[in-house]
Amino acid sequence: MRIVVADTAASAARLAADLVEDFITAEPRPALGLATGETMEAVFAELVRRHRARGLSFAGVRAYLLDEYLDLDRQDPCAYRNVVHRLLARHVDLGAGAIHGPDPHAIDLDAECNRYERELRAAPIGLQLLGIGSNGHIAFNEPGSPLDSTTRVVALSEQTRAENARFFPAGQAVPTRAITQGIATIRAANQLVMVACGKHKADSVARALEGPVTSEAPASAIQLHPNVTVVLRASAAVGLSESLRAGAP
Ligand code: F6R
């Protein structure tokens, strides 16, 4: 596992964008896994900046959503497909047809989860961007999620719903359910890039990187992956042991 500590959120976003750029320029039809959330907003903004400044192209990219809320209208701006379109796709040469995800409006959600899981395994994902929840979730795999889980419908924890309320207009309830890639699905990606910023992530980052690998800390599953880069703003790294921090350049 490579750990990189950055002074600012902007430099963490640049480091993550460097890895995405290397990946999408090295392959003709790269399969890129996208997370969403505040941390990713800065990464998307940096990728858009590079597209505008020097023509970083997404023309061949196939983008795959990590998770998606259930029970939102198709047009709801908070639906992750719409978030990715608004913050990334519409500003770069990434067509709407290049964004893949589970259909949260499918009649048979279990069948849809199985379909998306098969699509991901067939892709397969070359680089998967990940954030981490302050309760240690990755994607919407909340504490207690089996390490061998695949794409499925999950209930969101009250902590996650409370934290994500900031993305929703006042008065709109945060969904209680979502479709998420499972932990085994995420581990099947060729390369994982996790980004975390802020002191409120320090505890979950320390558990993910140095604690036991356990379903109670879903992000700890990244320890099982052979090709992981963790990009941390210094504030998110304060819970790490000296030896791990010393290993970071
Ligand atoms: C969303 C996702 C989540 C977020 C996590 C951190 O697609 O995968 O696991 O990455 O909740 O979100 P922020 O960056 O908003 O703190």
Side-chain angles (χ1 to χ4, degrees), residues 35-39 66-67 80 131-133 137-139 166-167 201:
T36 47
E38 187 175 342
T39 316
L66 196 48
D67 41 20
Y80 282 160
I132 180 172
H137 70 222
I138 41 170
R166 70 193 193 282
F167 298 111
K201 300 286 178 75

Side-chain angles (χ1 to χ4, degrees), residues 81-137:
R81 180 180 287 273
N82 298 335
V83 170
V84 166
H85 180 72
R86 185 173 66 252
L87 298 180
L88 179 66
R90 76 181 172 127
H91 305 289
V92 300
D93 51 346
L94 186 64
I99 302 174
H100 305 259
D103 178 2
H105 302 281
I107 305 288
D108 183 340
L109 289 174
D110 289 339
E112 176 59 11
C113 290
N114 292 337
R115 182 204 65 74
Y116 192 49
E117 179 75 21
R118 284 194 303 276
E119 185 180 1
L120 291 163
R121 297 299 177 125
I125 303 298
L127 185 151
Q128 177 65 59
L129 285 168
L130 296 169
I132 180 172
S134 57
N135 68 354
H137 70 222

Side-chain angles (χ1 to χ4, degrees), residues 217-247:
S220 64
I222 67 170
Q223 294 178 37
L224 303 173
H225 197 283
N227 187 356
V228 184
T229 304
V230 182
V231 181
L232 301 172
R233 186 177 179 185
S235 49
V238 294
L240 296 180
S241 65
E242 273 307 313
S243 57
L244 215 60
R245 285 172 61 84

Side-chain angles (χ1 to χ4, degrees), residues 207-218:
R207 290 180 72 201
L209 273 54
E210 294 191 276
V213 176
T214 162
S215 62
E216 291 313 310

Side-chain angles (χ1 to χ4, degrees), residues 3-248:
I3 301 169
V4 189
V5 179
D7 284 340
T8 64
S11 54
R14 281 194 294 274
L15 287 163
D18 286 346
L19 296 169
V20 172
E21 177 168 353
D22 288 349
F23 170 64
I24 67 174
T25 51
E27 291 192 23
R29 293 282 293 142
L32 175 65
L34 297 177
T36 47
E38 187 175 342
T39 316
M40 289 303 134
E41 286 182 11
V43 179
F44 293 169
E46 175 61 18
L47 292 170
V48 170
R49 193 194 64 74
R50 291 177 189 202
H51 172 76
R52 288 180 177 152
R54 49 185 169 76
L56 174 64
S57 177
F58 293 76
V61 172
R62 295 165 292 149
Y64 291 85
L65 302 183
L66 196 48
D67 41 20
E68 182 59 277
Y69 287 116
L70 288 173
D71 310 316
L72 293 179
D73 288 343
R74 226 175 255 288
Q75 308 305 328
D76 193 309
C78 293
Y80 282 160
R81 180 180 287 273
N82 298 335
V83 170
V84 166
H85 180 72
R86 185 173 66 252
L87 298 180
L88 179 66
R90 76 181 172 127
H91 305 289
V92 300
D93 51 346
L94 186 64
I99 302 174
H100 305 259
D103 178 2
H105 302 281
I107 305 288
D108 183 340
L109 289 174
D110 289 339
E112 176 59 11
C113 290
N114 292 337
R115 182 204 65 74
Y116 192 49
E117 179 75 21
R118 284 194 303 276
E119 185 180 1
L120 291 163
R121 297 299 177 125
I125 303 298
L127 185 151
Q128 177 65 59
L129 285 168
L130 296 169
I132 180 172
S134 57
N135 68 354
H137 70 222
I138 41 170
F140 276 140
N141 293 284
E142 300 280 30
S145 297
L147 298 178
D148 61 357
S149 53
T150 55
T151 303
R152 66 204 188 286
V153 173
V154 291
L156 299 178
S157 70
E158 283 311 310
Q159 184 175 340
T160 296
R161 293 184 65 231
E163 288 179 3
N164 286 7
R166 70 193 193 282
F167 298 111
F168 287 79
Q172 182 176 353
V174 179
T176 57
R177 306 187 300 159
I179 292 176
T180 187
Q181 288 189 32
I183 295 175
T185 323
I186 293 167
R187 285 176 53 200
N190 187 46
Q191 180 184 0
L192 304 180
V193 176
M194 175 180 280
V195 189
C197 298
K199 207 173 166 201
H200 61 300
K201 300 286 178 75
D203 184 52
S204 60
V205 165
R207 290 180 72 201
L209 273 54
E210 294 191 276
V213 176
T214 162
S215 62
E216 291 313 310
S220 64
I222 67 170
Q223 294 178 37
L224 303 173
H225 197 283
N227 187 356
V228 184
T229 304
V230 182
V231 181
L232 301 172
R233 186 177 179 185
S235 49
V238 294
L240 296 180
S241 65
E242 273 307 313
S243 57
L244 215 60
R245 285 172 61 84

